[in-house]
Amino acid sequence: MNLKELAAELHLSQTTVSRALNGYPEVSEKTREIVLAAAQRFGYRPSPAARRLATGRAHALGVVFNAERNVLMDPLFVEYLAGVAETSAKQGFDILISPSTPSDEIVTFGRLARDGTVDVVILSAPQTVDARISLLSELKFPFVVHGRPPEPAGISYIDIDNFGAFQQATSFLIQLGHRRIMLINGEEHFTFAQDRSRGAAIAFAAAGLPNDMLDEHFMPMTAENAYRSARQALEREERPTAILCGSILVALGVLRAAAELGLEVPRDLSIIAHDDEMPAFPADQFHPQLTTTRSSIRAAGTRVAEMALARVAGQKPGTVAEVWPVQLIVRGSTAAAPERG
Amino acid sequence: MNLKELAAELHLSQTTVSRALNGYPEVSEKTREIVLAAAQRFGYRPSPAARRLATGRAHALGVVFNAERNVLMDPLFVEYLAGVAETSAKQGFDILISPSTPSDEIVTFGRLARDGTVDVVILSAPQTVDARISLLSELKFPFVVHGRPPEPAGISYIDIDNFGAFQQATSFLIQLGHRRIMLINGEEHFTFAQDRSRGAAIAFAAAGLPNDMLDEHFMPMTAENAYRSARQALEREERPTAILCGSILVALGVLRAAAELGLEVPRDLSIIAHDDEMPAFPADQFHPQLTTTRSSIRAAGTRVAEMALARVAGQKPGTVAEVWPVQLIVRGSTAAAPERG
DNA sequence: CTCAACGTTCAAAGCGCTTTGGAGGCTTCG
DNA sequence: CGAAGCCTCCAAAGCGCTTTGAACGTTGAG
């Protein structure tokens, strides 16, 4: 059943019926009720395609799915998507996943923006030089960012306090007597990796320690990469006594390296990992339970979707710039630094 | 630039231009070339919304994202989605993710089918009694299944040989002298769990062993659940000497349980896990490296997307019914059963 | 009593594309 | 030479909705 038929059924014009259904004021309450009742009764559902054509708004929100990056980075993505999905569903917005390879990612964004298949896009994991942001800004296409844009002015974003988290974690380790600390960070070109790096550096500076005691490594945060780096570092004479891990997966690799070398955590090695709360890998289910800096990526997903929808509803870009605190949760993977041998 | 303008520019009718662009035969090669060149030059891109309205086809493929289920089940989902995304992108199909909770999942499917926002839906993890399949069949809405439908007749699906995989794995363990074998399976209502169960049972029967030696547990396949079950079982007097794991995550939990109890793998306990090839957790990066039954969930994703697109292109349902073989890869987590104590 | 103003409703014109039913020109064949 | 047939192309009618501009009755002020 379409609008025309419904209108005919009611002996009203399409105009009136349309307006009644969409809550416009220029229709009397009595008629509105009748129309709504009839719509209900006939199970009328407006055609999204027609509405889209007529209004020019897609009622959809775009997420670019960079297959390679996501597969590397995250089981996190599911959790994040769940958050996005949740709120957007509430508002009846569809979520369009546009696949892309790193190379044609920018093309994909361009297409999304011009095609009108979505009204707004969500952009994750911004980089220090981010062509996607430049492009969308230039096209004046609505977007919001999950993570810290390199130049946040005039951009709505939400991020967790990566800087604070790693500063706090590093300070904590220093207080425990650790001096040779390894940081297994994400790839250098991501802003979150930079923030974490700065956080750790500041903690060293604040303690009056030379920052060459911080052994920092940038890499895609997989368990395997982490394993390799950790193993190599732990085999050295002057091995680190603590390792800061960019994610739970990284911690997994580090734990394996330590186990293989007969090092006991936390006696011989302290570990702190950042935890985005993947339900599949609860930090407290490890052995030993992991000390973490915790923030919920799912909550971030819901919030970023809200922002995206607000943006569609007309909210100015740059209105929202939230930085969520990150909590240091001390569990069993950290201890005082071992005595000098 | 829209079709009308392009046509005017070329001094041709919209009809001709449209046909030229869409490869219809009733337009001369010469004109077609001119049109294509002009379209290229002006950067003309047809409006998806208009096309959708005119043709009634959405050029999109639906994946229902059951937040709760997916979050529990899988980091796999990302990998799967990557596969789907890959092929659908090639054909210019969008992917629409429809979130749902378990309770309104069926409503979501109904809406998708009736709204015309997608042309076909992909359905994963079919259950022994599956309301989604019933609904879509009844509505005569095109769909394809990833996994084994309870009643496969007239349904296009692709599945891996869960039965064969677990039969093979179980037989292998029996040959190694294991008798008390534990199976940590997925939830009972999934067809894949049933198939795996049957596979293991048949292996016992074939070896002339009573099947009460198979200690089978059904549960959501998280590391934590697995840890709990494994720990409990391994603490018993008559503990299992081998554990079959439904996924790599399950193996992770089992490994932890074994480590905590001081059991060495594979000396005291053999482990075989099913491996869907999550890049984040390569089975050969565990310690010890895991013996697995392997199949690529990503490849399955690409294939199922192909099927979905073929279905849209008019292929009859039930045309495709592929069951992919699963390979047993023997690595370091399996060994001969320990001597009777 | 007249006219302006208001509250409701409507007819019709899009939105940008596809597709039906011809129309015109050119070739071919009886 | 004329009719049939083919190849190209076109005008116009939708697809199902929103939205503009106008019309209609009713009311209230002057």
Side-chain angles (χ1 to χ4, degrees):
Chain A
M1 156 150 298
N2 59 23
L3 187 61
K4 196 166 166 184
E5 290 163 17
L6 182 60
E9 196 74 40
L10 287 163
H11 301 291
L12 283 172
S13 72
Q14 292 191 42
T15 311
T16 306
V17 176
S18 171
R19 287 185 163 153
L21 292 172
N22 293 317
Y24 282 72
E26 54 272 82
V27 48
S28 73
E29 268 322 304
K30 206 181 66 190
T31 339
R32 189 189 305 279
E33 272 168 32
I34 295 174
V35 170
L36 286 173
Q40 177 83 24
R41 189 155 40 90
F42 292 108
Y44 167 73
R45 304 191 50 83
S47 145
R51 168 177 285 176
R52 181 171 301 196
L53 181 59
T55 60
R57 342 190 61 245
H59 242 73
L61 155 173
V63 175
V64 173
F65 179 80
N66 181 327
E68 280 183 45
R69 180 187 306 163
N70 284 93
V71 161
L72 281 181
M73 274 198 35
D74 27 347
L76 288 182
F77 187 74
V78 181
E79 188 61 7
Y80 171 64
L81 201 58
V84 172
E86 202 177 292
T87 46
S88 81
K90 276 184 202 144
Q91 304 238 11
F93 261 60
D94 289 325
I95 301 177
L96 201 73
I97 298 286
S98 286
S100 83
T101 60
S103 58
D104 69 3
E105 188 174 16
I106 199 71
V107 179
T108 305
F109 269 93
R111 189 172 60 78
L112 269 192
R114 279 182 271 252
D115 268 9
T117 27
V118 300
D119 300 318
V120 57
V121 309
I122 297 178
L123 202 137
S124 324
Q127 313 190 16
T128 51
V129 176
D130 204 310
R132 304 168 299 174
I133 296 183
S134 318
L135 176 69
L136 292 173
S137 301
E138 196 175 322
L139 293 174
K140 300 202 188 316
F141 191 83
F143 69 101
V144 296
V145 177
H146 174 222
R148 193 88 49 114
E151 279 152 32
I155 295 179
S156 282
Y157 70 90
I158 171 199
D159 192 18
I160 59 172
D161 185 10
N162 284 300
F163 173 86
F166 277 67
Q167 177 185 22
Q168 203 182 343
T170 308
S171 295
F172 178 67
L173 288 174
I174 291 173
Q175 275 167 37
L176 284 173
H178 294 276
R179 289 300 175 267
R180 290 192 305 278
I181 299 178
M182 180 178 188
L183 167 54
I184 301 186
N185 207 337
E187 290 173 272
E188 210 163 0
H189 55 265
F190 290 112
T191 58
F192 78 83
Q194 292 295 332
D195 291 341
R196 292 174 177 187
S197 180
R198 281 177 31 240
I202 289 276
F204 268 79
L209 294 171
N211 65 5
D212 62 353
M213 306 201 92
L214 176 68
D215 181 27
E216 185 168 16
H217 296 256
F218 296 95
M219 67 189 73
M221 298 191 294
T222 65
E224 185 176 349
N225 286 337
Y227 165 73
R228 287 220 197 85
S229 301
R231 168 114 200 190
Q232 206 173 348
L234 293 173
E235 275 172 342
R236 285 203 306 265
E237 187 68 25
E238 294 263 290
R239 61 172 183 77
T241 61
I243 301 187
L244 285 161
C245 302
S247 79
I248 294 291
L249 265 55
V250 165
L252 195 71
V254 169
L255 280 173
R256 177 173 160 234
E260 285 185 11
L261 294 171
L263 296 171
E264 200 173 295
V265 177
R267 195 193 60 195
D268 307 315
L269 179 71
S270 284
I271 292 181
I272 300 185
H274 179 70
D275 178 14
D276 291 292
E277 298 199 321
M278 281 185 274
F281 297 95
D284 59 2
Q285 286 298 317
F286 280 71
H287 179 72
Q289 295 192 323
L290 297 175
T291 294
T292 59
T293 52
R294 186 180 66 186
S295 69
S296 162
I297 189 155
R298 179 165 193 161
T302 64
R303 182 70 185 109
V304 85
E306 275 175 28
M307 290 164 49
L309 298 183
R311 189 75 184 73
V312 172
Q315 189 185 66
K316 290 273 165 296
T319 309
V320 183
E322 291 176 18
V323 176
W324 290 6
V326 175
Q327 212 181 345
L328 177 66
I329 311 233
V330 180
R331 295 202 188 84
S333 67
T334 42
E339 298 296 311
R340 285 285 179 150
Chain B
M1 156 150 297
N2 59 24
L3 185 61
K4 195 165 166 185
E5 290 164 19
L6 182 60
E9 195 74 42
L10 287 163
H11 300 292
L12 282 172
S13 72
Q14 292 190 42
T15 311
T16 306
V17 175
S18 171
R19 286 184 162 151
L21 292 172
N22 292 317
Y24 281 72
E26 53 273 81
V27 48
S28 74
E29 268 322 305
K30 206 181 67 193
T31 343
R32 187 187 307 277
E33 274 169 30
I34 295 174
V35 171
L36 285 173
Q40 176 84 25
R41 188 154 42 89
F42 291 107
Y44 168 73
R45 305 192 49 81
S47 145
R51 169 177 285 175
R52 182 171 299 195
L53 181 59
T55 60
R57 342 188 62 240
H59 242 72
L61 156 171
V63 176
V64 173
F65 178 80
N66 182 325
E68 280 182 44
R69 181 187 304 163
N70 284 90
V71 161
L72 281 181
M73 274 197 37
D74 28 347
L76 289 180
F77 186 73
V78 181
E79 186 63 6
Y80 171 65
L81 202 57
V84 172
E86 202 177 293
T87 46
S88 80
K90 276 185 201 143
Q91 304 237 11
F93 260 60
D94 290 325
I95 301 177
L96 201 74
I97 299 286
S98 287
S100 83
T101 60
S103 57
D104 68 3
E105 188 174 19
I106 201 69
V107 178
T108 305
F109 270 94
R111 190 173 59 79
L112 269 191
R114 279 180 270 251
D115 267 10
T117 27
V118 300
D119 300 318
V120 57
V121 310
I122 297 178
L123 202 136
S124 322
Q127 312 190 18
T128 51
V129 176
D130 205 309
R132 305 169 298 173
I133 296 183
S134 317
L135 176 67
L136 292 173
S137 300
E138 196 176 320
L139 293 174
K140 300 204 188 315
F141 191 83
F143 70 98
V144 297
V145 177
H146 175 223
R148 195 88 50 112
E151 279 152 32
I155 295 178
S156 283
Y157 71 91
I158 169 197
D159 191 18
I160 59 173
D161 184 9
N162 284 301
F163 174 85
F166 276 67
Q167 177 184 23
Q168 205 182 341
T170 309
S171 293
F172 177 68
L173 288 173
I174 291 175
Q175 275 167 37
L176 284 173
H178 294 277
R179 289 300 175 267
R180 290 192 305 278
I181 300 179
M182 180 179 188
L183 167 55
I184 301 186
N185 207 338
E187 289 172 272
E188 208 162 2
H189 54 265
F190 290 114
T191 59
F192 78 83
Q194 292 297 332
D195 291 341
R196 291 174 177 187
S197 180
R198 283 176 31 239
I202 289 276
F204 269 79
L209 295 171
N211 65 7
D212 62 354
M213 308 201 89
L214 177 68
D215 181 27
E216 186 168 15
H217 296 256
F218 296 96
M219 66 188 73
M221 298 191 292
T222 64
E224 186 177 347
N225 285 338
Y227 164 73
R228 287 221 197 86
S229 301
R231 169 114 197 191
Q232 205 173 350
L234 292 172
E235 275 173 341
R236 285 203 306 264
E237 186 71 23
E238 295 262 290
R239 62 170 184 78
T241 61
I243 301 185
L244 284 161
C245 303
S247 80
I248 294 291
L249 264 56
V250 165
L252 194 70
V254 169
L255 280 172
R256 175 171 160 235
E260 285 184 9
L261 295 172
L263 295 172
E264 200 174 296
V265 176
R267 194 194 58 195
D268 307 315
L269 179 70
S270 285
I271 292 180
I272 301 185
H274 178 70
D275 178 14
D276 290 293
E277 298 198 323
M278 279 184 275
F281 296 94
D284 58 3
Q285 286 297 317
F286 279 72
H287 178 71
Q289 296 192 324
L290 298 175
T291 295
T292 59
T293 51
R294 187 179 65 188
S295 69
S296 162
I297 189 152
R298 179 165 194 160
T302 65
R303 182 70 184 108
V304 84
E306 275 175 28
M307 289 163 49
L309 298 182
R311 190 73 185 70
V312 172
Q315 190 186 64
K316 288 273 165 297
T319 309
V320 183
E322 291 176 18
V323 176
W324 290 4
V326 175
Q327 214 180 342
L328 177 67
I329 312 234
V330 180
R331 297 203 187 83
S333 66
T334 41
E339 297 296 313
R340 283 285 179 146

